[in-house]
């Protein structure tokens, strides 16, 4: 798997490649017994992932900051698939209180939970702090998902144990995880404005997504829990995620158009890792173009993953009790 495969769309060992779409990788898969939460499932590749999951019969809960847009997305899907099972719940990942409220509301529905797709994110935004006083890209892309996942784990464990169906957690990362700060994660300068780089901060948050997935995978395997955790790079897709650098990305796309994907292609790896039976028992891996790929040295550093876990847990605890 390399540049040639990306450009040509030739399939890799999985039988799929960069040109594969979400519908193609999930063809003939029956997801009618599955309940899925997807963050940011109302636009871009999140919306396409939602559409295809419901097409395969899954019950999908869209967790979205903008519930108006999410409900409009729900109606658009129902227009073409009146059997689609979709609910919308409010979630602002930059606020731990919002994460708490979302989980409380979801658990009150008394639904099972088989799959969690941590899809939402912000990208290249100017320096700003979240409601909790944390740099926005780290807060939204990593810390909110870290807290959300931890709060939903008991429900996922209970569902997997009761049904015998393997649970799956999918973290959306990016190839940008390779382009981070010199030390990978700047634990002592997460909120430092002077050293802030919008691109490196994004890369740092995407590195954190992989490290989180890897450490959680290790912990669940130690427990013997029937839940896998993997991370994916969806590919380069022009979506609303790039709103903070739209003009710059349009110019970049002009010179790199052969590497860019459509939205249905961009959602393929998420759907493949979430649904495909070939990945039963596969955990702690990084996927790109629907094939296992090698992540960066930082991303595969076990001690860094453990350090990030402890840092994130302590940060959440301190913010919850402040």
């Amino acid at each position: 798997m390399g540049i040639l495969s990306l450009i040509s769309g030739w399939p890799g060992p999985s039988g799929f490649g960069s040109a594969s779409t979400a519908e193609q990788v999930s063809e003939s898969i029956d997801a009618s017994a599955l309940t899925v939460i997807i963050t940011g499932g109302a636009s871009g590749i999140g919306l396409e992932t939602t559409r295809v999951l419901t097409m395969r019969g899954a019950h999908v809960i869209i967790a979205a900051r903008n519930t108006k847009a999410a409900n409009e997305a729900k109606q658009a899907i129902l227009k073409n698939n009146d059997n689609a099972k979709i609910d919308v719940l409010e979630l602002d990942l930059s606020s731990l209180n919002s994460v708490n409220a979302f989980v409380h509301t979801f658990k009150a529905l008394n639904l099972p939970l088989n799959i969690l797709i941590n899809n939402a994110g912000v990208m290249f935004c100017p320096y700003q702090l979240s409601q909790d006083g944390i740099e926005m890209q780290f807060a939204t892309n990593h810390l909110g998902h870290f807290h959300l996942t931890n709060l939903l784990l008991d429900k996922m464990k209970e569902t997997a144990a009761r049904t015998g169906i393997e649970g799956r957690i999918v973290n959306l990362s990016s190839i940008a995880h390779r382009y981070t700060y010199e030390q990978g994660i700047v634990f002592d300068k997460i909120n430092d404005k002077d050293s802030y780089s919008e691109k490196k901060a994004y890369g740092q948050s995407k590195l954190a997504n992989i490290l989180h997935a890897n450490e959680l995978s290790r912990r669940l395997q130690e427990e013997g829990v029937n839940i896998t955790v993997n991370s994916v790079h969806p590919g380069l897709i022009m979506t609303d995620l790039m709103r903070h650098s739209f003009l710059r990305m349009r110019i970049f796309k002009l010179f790199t158009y052969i590497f860019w994907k459509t939205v249905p292609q961009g959602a393929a790896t998420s759907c493949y890792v979430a649904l495909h039976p070939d990945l039963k028992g596969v955990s702690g891996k990084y996927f790109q173009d629907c094939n296992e790929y090698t992540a960066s040295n930082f991303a595969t550093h076990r001690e860094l993953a453990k350090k990030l876990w402890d840092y994130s847990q302590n940060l959440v605890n301190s913010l919850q009790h402040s």
Side-chain angles (χ1 to χ4, degrees), residues 53-91:
L53 289 171
T54 57
M55 176 187 288
R56 302 303 174 218
H59 180 185
V60 178
I61 292 89
I62 299 175
R65 187 178 63 227
N66 185 342
T67 53
K68 181 176 183 292
N71 277 302
E72 288 170 357
K74 172 183 174 178
Q75 293 307 316
I77 292 173
L78 285 169
K79 190 174 181 180
N80 294 299
N81 176 11
D82 55 11
N83 293 318
K85 293 177 285 185
I86 311 176
D87 286 303
V88 172
L89 295 179
E90 185 175 359
L91 172 64

Side-chain angles (χ1 to χ4, degrees), residues 139-161:
T140 303
N141 297 352
H142 167 63
L143 198 65
H145 280 128
F146 174 84
H147 187 45
L148 174 69
T149 304
N150 279 351
L151 293 182
L152 291 171
L153 269 180
D154 59 343
K155 174 60 74 173
M156 292 197 71
K157 289 176 182 178
E158 182 270 322
T159 301

Side-chain angles (χ1 to χ4, degrees), residues 13-28:
S14 69
F16 303 111
S18 62
S20 301
T21 66
E23 285 193 28
Q24 289 169 343
V25 304
S26 63
E27 191 175 1
S28 76

Side-chain angles (χ1 to χ4, degrees), residues 95-290:
S95 163
L96 296 181
N97 283 339
S98 178
V99 174
N100 293 337
F102 168 85
V103 172
H104 178 77
T105 303
F106 171 73
K107 288 186 175 179
L109 297 175
N110 200 29
L111 292 170
L113 182 58
N114 305 94
I115 298 170
L116 171 62
I117 303 178
N118 290 320
N119 167 85
V122 293
M123 180 181 186
F124 298 167
C125 53
Y127 179 84
Q128 57 184 303
L129 298 179
S130 69
Q131 291 181 34
D132 298 312
I134 306 299
E135 186 276 308
M136 186 60 81
Q137 296 192 81
F138 188 82
T140 303
N141 297 352
H142 167 63
L143 198 65
H145 280 128
F146 174 84
H147 187 45
L148 174 69
T149 304
N150 279 351
L151 293 182
L152 291 171
L153 269 180
D154 59 343
K155 174 60 74 173
M156 292 197 71
K157 289 176 182 178
E158 182 270 322
T159 301
R162 180 173 51 80
T163 64
I165 300 172
E166 177 183 81
R168 295 189 181 183
I169 298 170
V170 183
N171 277 5
L172 264 78
S173 179
S174 166
I175 197 170
H177 80 272
R178 297 179 178 276
Y179 309 103
T180 182
Y181 294 104
E182 190 176 339
Q183 58 271 62
I185 308 284
V186 287
F187 294 103
D188 56 340
K189 290 188 175 181
I190 286 292
N191 290 342
D192 188 60
K193 188 175 183 178
D194 294 336
S195 60
Y196 180 76
S197 159
E198 60 189 34
K199 294 182 185 62
K200 289 181 179 178
Y202 178 70
Q204 172 179 251
S205 71
K206 295 290 100 181
L207 170 60
N209 292 148
I210 301 177
L211 293 170
H212 169 221
N214 291 352
E215 177 63 11
L216 179 56
S217 171
R218 185 190 68 77
R219 288 168 177 250
L220 292 177
Q221 284 177 322
E222 273 191 3
E223 282 185 49
V225 175
N226 189 23
I227 299 173
T228 64
V229 195
N230 293 291
S231 46
V232 306
H233 165 51
L236 290 169
I237 311 106
M238 186 66 76
T239 69
D240 189 49
L241 185 63
M242 296 175 179
R243 61 189 176 274
H244 292 293
S245 54
F246 186 74
L247 180 60
R248 195 183 319 151
M249 295 307 291
R250 286 302 293 264
I251 295 169
F252 176 60
K253 185 178 181 181
L254 190 64
F255 293 100
T256 58
Y257 69 94
I258 56 175
F259 299 111
W260 289 68
K261 292 183 177 184
T262 64
V263 168
Q265 291 169 341
T269 306
S270 297
C271 287
Y272 174 70
V273 175
L275 290 181
H276 208 281
D278 284 357
L279 295 187
K280 183 174 175 59
V282 175
S283 192
K285 305 299 182 183
Y286 172 71
F287 289 84
Q288 178 177 320
D289 300 332
C290 300

